Amino acid sequence: MDRTGWRKSSFSGTGPDNNCVELAATPSAIHLRESDAPQAVLATTPPSLAAFIRAAKAGEFDRLS
């Protein structure tokens, strides 16, 4: 995974306190990690990630926090 092109939102800053979720695509999966814990990587499929993003935008997870 070290050679994977990790990307983060342009809304994230560049300082040490600007941790965020980073994404990387490979031919078989989408990988996610937190910039402050890059050794912990999750993998999912593009359709599953798209469904998660739709649900988050629709507010389906608003009551979890």
Side-chain angles (χ1 to χ4, degrees), residues 3-20:
R3 299 178 198 265
T4 304
W6 291 100
R7 299 177 66 186
K8 66 179 182 175
S9 171
S10 60
F11 290 102
S12 298
T14 57
D17 295 327
N18 293 314
N19 299 322
C20 64

Side-chain angles (χ1 to χ4, degrees), residues 6-62:
W6 291 100
R7 299 177 66 186
K8 66 179 182 175
S9 171
S10 60
F11 290 102
S12 298
T14 57
D17 295 327
N18 293 314
N19 299 322
C20 64
V21 174
E22 299 175 319
L23 300 171
T26 64
S28 59
I30 303 291
H31 300 271
L32 299 92
R33 71 181 184 183
E34 289 190 48
S35 60
D36 64 335
Q39 68 282 1
V41 178
L42 301 174
T44 189
T45 63
S48 293
L49 182 58
F52 175 81
I53 291 170
R54 276 193 305 276
K57 286 181 176 181
E60 293 184 28
F61 307 118
D62 288 355

